[in-house]
Amino acid sequence: MTFKSLLTGGLTAAFLLTAAQTPAWARDKLEVVTSTTGVLFGTAYIAKKLGYFDEVGLDVSIYDGNGGSNAVAAIVGGSAQIGIVGLKNMSQAVLKGQSLKAIGTGVQGFPNALVVRSELLKDGKVNAGSSLAEKGAVLRDRVIAVTDIGGSSGEFARFILKQAGLPADKATIINLNSIAGQLASLKAGKIDAFVNGSPTIETAVRDGYGTALVVPSRDLKDITAFEYTVQAVRADFLKQNPDVVERYLKALDKAIKVSRSDPAKAKAAVFDFLAEQASADNAYPAEIQDLAWTNTLPYFPASVALDDAKLTASRAFFGVSETLDNAALTDNTIARKVAGQ
């Protein structure tokens, strides 16, 4: 082979290598923060693990903000561009003057449950068929762990106490965002109950030390058909980066669709993601995975677009201030375009 052919071949190879790498260099980076870790953020995990973000030219990192308030603060401060957070947390920030917008939905309905120490129900007086007031009464003088006292999980605990006619000072609500922390504390009797989602619920129940006492899909199904988590961004980021937002929502919409068309593939992607997280239990057995996926999948939306009726119901349940109209909280334009509405 001549020097000329070697040189030409080398230059060609270098050019092809550079061309192949250019799209990766050109990808837009996005930091996405969630309020906690769990299957309810599954659509984002699916889009990450199955490469849907890569397909639209986005380099997306997803991390746990350790509570909805902290996650919202990360968006406000600019350390994250997008947050998957409760509408309650986002609305509180807007009420305080922060310019945030919900640009799409996360999950619809209330996928968390109140899990209590099984020991508290050993007398059999309260069970799954008891009234909400009777279930709430079990919490008198008890310690309840939530992922965010001022957010949706804290609001849910207070709602249950109110249904039982218990003043707020008749139970202690504490912040404990860690999945492992909640499970270990419940098992050791350091807390009496927690509010969390899958797979935390299924783990406590399977191991026998926890009982899912208040399950919204069973106990509150008439009032919890609402927008729970939303995709939140700063208004200035939305204005300056509409294309990035559209590509992000397109990837999520694809993830939503695969969760319905190929649920086994979607489930595997979710638990692959969770297994990579240092803050999560890396050893979820197949039984827990199956239960957690089955219990959470119904809460995944049909598309990324916010639902007006569910938004109204959410505002009512979480007591979002009437001084904030939907225009102040949401911009559904791009999500509707992606969803073909």
Side-chain angles (χ1 to χ4, degrees):
M1 184 177 288
T2 67
F3 174 77
K4 181 178 180 181
S5 61
L6 282 171
L7 180 61
T8 303
L11 289 173
T12 300
F15 173 78
L16 291 174
L17 180 61
T18 302
Q21 290 177 338
T22 299
W25 296 339
R27 288 187 301 170
D28 291 294
K29 290 184 176 294
L30 275 182
E31 295 287 335
V32 176
V33 62
T34 61
S35 54
T36 184
T37 298
V39 183
L40 73 159
F41 303 104
T43 55
Y45 300 163
I46 293 165
K48 173 69 175 178
K49 290 302 297 180
L50 296 185
Y52 299 157
F53 290 131
D54 296 325
E55 289 175 3
V56 294
L58 296 178
D59 180 5
V60 174
S61 298
I62 305 170
Y63 70 95
D64 184 341
N66 293 312
S69 298
N70 290 336
V72 169
I75 309 166
V76 171
S79 57
Q81 291 75 51
I82 296 178
I84 310 175
V85 298
L87 181 71
K88 172 78 174 181
N89 288 110
M90 197 203 90
S91 69
Q92 290 172 328
V94 176
L95 193 62
K96 293 176 182 177
Q98 300 298 332
S99 186
L100 302 177
K101 294 288 184 181
I103 56 167
T105 188
V107 293
Q108 296 172 332
F110 198 88
N112 292 346
L114 176 86
V115 177
V116 302
R117 285 193 296 117
S118 297
E119 182 74 10
L120 301 182
L121 307 178
K122 64 180 181 180
D123 60 10
K125 293 180 180 179
V126 176
N127 53 50
S130 299
S131 69
L132 196 57
E134 291 169 328
K135 292 177 178 181
V138 172
L139 302 175
R140 180 183 288 274
D141 299 323
R142 302 296 182 181
V143 178
I144 310 163
V146 299
T147 56
D148 193 327
I149 289 177
S152 303
S153 57
E155 194 71 26
F156 184 62
R158 289 186 289 273
F159 172 81
I160 296 169
L161 293 172
K162 185 177 180 180
Q163 296 306 301
L166 292 177
D169 61 356
K170 292 302 179 182
T172 301
I173 302 175
I174 65 169
N175 262 346
L176 183 57
N177 182 261
S178 163
I179 290 175
Q182 285 194 352
L183 291 173
S185 296
L186 190 74
K187 188 174 184 178
K190 294 180 180 180
I191 60 173
D192 301 295
F194 66 70
V195 175
N196 211 323
S198 298
T200 316
I201 301 166
E202 293 80 9
T203 301
V205 172
R206 196 248 347 218
D207 291 348
Y209 56 85
T211 299
L213 186 61
V214 181
V215 181
S217 61
R218 178 189 68 205
D219 301 304
L220 301 169
K221 58 185 177 182
D222 294 332
I223 60 173
T224 54
F226 51 48
E227 294 287 356
Y228 177 47
T229 60
V230 296
Q231 309 288 334
V233 301
R234 288 191 344 193
D236 60 343
F237 180 84
L238 175 60
K239 183 177 180 180
Q240 295 163 14
N241 301 278
D243 176 63
V244 171
V245 169
E246 182 171 346
R247 285 184 280 144
Y248 172 78
L249 293 176
K250 280 182 177 178
L252 285 186
D253 206 55
K254 186 171 181 177
I256 290 170
K257 288 179 172 61
V258 80
S259 72
R260 297 175 183 277
S261 64
D262 195 343
K265 179 179 180 180
K267 182 187 76 172
V270 168
F271 282 93
D272 283 350
F273 181 91
L274 290 176
E276 295 173 354
Q277 306 309 298
S279 59
D281 183 348
N282 292 346
Y284 293 121
E287 177 189 3
I288 293 296
Q289 293 185 28
D290 290 343
L291 286 171
W293 180 252
T294 299
N295 291 338
T296 309
L297 187 57
Y299 298 101
F300 286 5
S303 77
V304 291
L306 293 158
D307 181 289
D308 289 339
K310 288 182 172 64
L311 186 61
T312 298
S314 181
R315 292 176 60 109
F317 185 86
F318 290 118
V320 175
S321 175
E322 293 182 0
T323 62
L324 301 175
D325 60 15
N326 285 352
L329 289 172
T330 69
D331 188 333
N332 210 16
T333 308
I334 297 176
R336 282 179 172 155
K337 176 185 175 183
V338 169
Q341 296 180 5

